[in-house]
Amino acid sequence: HTSNTSSNGPRSPSRSVASNHLKKTRFAQSAPSDHLHQSSDDASVATYQLHTPSSSHMSPTINKVPLRTSPSMHIALRAPSHCNLKMLTSNGTNALDEIHGQWKRIELVSTSIRKGQMKGASGHTLTNILVVGRGVAFSGIKFIYNALKNDEQGFNGLCSGLSDRKGNHPRSMRFLSTLDPVAIHSALSDWNSSQTCVVSIIMSEDEVDLLRLTQAVKQWLVCGMQSISKRQDIIMGKHLLFVTGSDILCHSHAITKAESTFLIPSFVRCEAFTTTSVAGILPLSIAFGWDVVQ
């Protein structure tokens, strides 16, 4: 049994790691204070001492279980930026500073793409949005996109900033999660690569199949614009945005340029809440506009 309150650590952490293996843990509601003591060597490592009496006349034994806590501060993803709020992490920094700073970057990038200030390598406005990924964020984006495109304000967002000339269509979003050639052909065969923005969401470096899928999409972009530019880095920098929860992938710059890479903060990487992180907000903001998504 453990207690909900802790003087040295965050309240009700949603995840813990024991013996370097990640394990989701649901803490008990409460426990008598004389059965539990908590000590901590630093802000992120707690040692729980559970007193277990073997009999009524014997002294209790003490079992020490070290737990490395990694709380999910998903509420920070929905805290408004204009209220001067604070949510402190275990090292005392305000989690909202990083979240709201990332919001400003998302607004800047998405608005620049929608207004045609950030064009593709050929000079075309990017109106096709391909989301590559899997999991909760991927499914959440698809759900919200299908809901908003049938909403009046959402549909207006898809059309906003585009010319009314005959033949122009609202922005559209498609989803790709498999290396199946039929699925890839179905998603890309009628799209012009010079008008396509790819948002690749790969939470971990262990997702090898998504890395390969992203590489296949990159090859499609390059093949479609070989006559425009021979430099892949220029094409990727203008057509590929990368979102990840992996520090390794983020700093390797193997997917795209640093300025086109977004790292999900460590305290909101719990997959259940990633839809409201940059993984979900970025592609939706490109499609509908920051004001609608906000």
Side-chain angles (χ1 to χ4, degrees), residues 5 35 38 62 69 72 75 84 94 113 121 126 131 133 139-140 168 215 282:
T5 58
H35 284 265
Q38 180 184 354
I62 298 177
T69 60
S72 176
I75 299 176
N84 196 28
N94 186 5
I113 291 175
L126 303 175
V131 180
S139 300
N168 279 359
Q215 190 61 40
L282 178 61

Side-chain angles (χ1 to χ4, degrees), residues 202-217:
I202 305 178
M203 295 300 297
S204 167
E205 64 271 12
D206 297 329
E207 296 181 281
V208 179
D209 51 345
L210 287 181
L211 289 169
R212 290 174 178 170
L213 178 56
T214 300
Q215 190 61 40
V217 175

Side-chain angles (χ1 to χ4, degrees), residues 113-175:
I113 291 175
R114 290 173 55 82
K115 289 184 176 181
Q117 297 168 344
M118 288 178 60
K119 296 182 182 292
S122 66
H124 286 89
T125 300
L126 303 175
T127 57
N128 305 325
I129 304 138
L130 178 70
V131 180
V132 175
R134 185 182 296 126
V136 173
F138 182 81
S139 300
I141 297 166
K142 184 186 294 187
F143 175 83
I144 295 171
Y145 172 74
N146 287 327
L148 284 180
K149 73 178 183 180
N150 294 307
D151 173 80
E152 182 179 358
Q153 186 180 7
F155 182 77
N156 290 337
L158 289 175
C159 301
S160 177
L162 299 179
S163 171
D164 293 331
R165 290 180 302 176
K166 185 178 180 181
N168 279 359
H169 301 283
R171 296 176 184 86
S172 60
M173 183 182 291
R174 292 179 183 172
F175 304 87

Side-chain angles (χ1 to χ4, degrees), residues 257-276:
K257 291 184 176 181
E259 54 267 30
S260 300
T261 300
F262 294 77
L263 179 65
I264 300 174
S266 59
F267 43 83
V268 290
R269 289 179 189 170
C270 179
E271 186 176 359
F273 308 105
T274 47
T275 303
T276 48

Side-chain angles (χ1 to χ4, degrees), residues 41-84:
D41 296 328
D42 56 56
S44 61
V45 181
T47 300
Y48 291 88
Q49 300 178 355
L50 182 62
H51 288 215
T52 311
S54 55
S55 67
S56 60
H57 62 278
M58 294 179 64
S59 298
T61 59
I62 298 177
N63 299 320
K64 294 185 178 181
V65 182
L67 297 175
R68 187 174 300 276
T69 60
S70 178
S72 176
M73 301 181 69
H74 57 89
I75 299 176
L77 296 170
R78 299 185 296 279
S81 59
H82 61 276
C83 295
N84 196 28

Side-chain angles (χ1 to χ4, degrees), residues 178-194:
T178 175
L179 272 166
D180 177 16
V182 175
I184 296 175
H185 178 79
S186 176
L188 301 176
S189 61
D190 60 340
W191 268 9
N192 187 338
S193 58
S194 64

Side-chain angles (χ1 to χ4, degrees), residues 247-258:
D247 294 272
I248 295 175
L249 289 177
C250 176
H251 299 305
S252 69
H253 309 314
I255 306 298
T256 188
K257 291 184 176 181

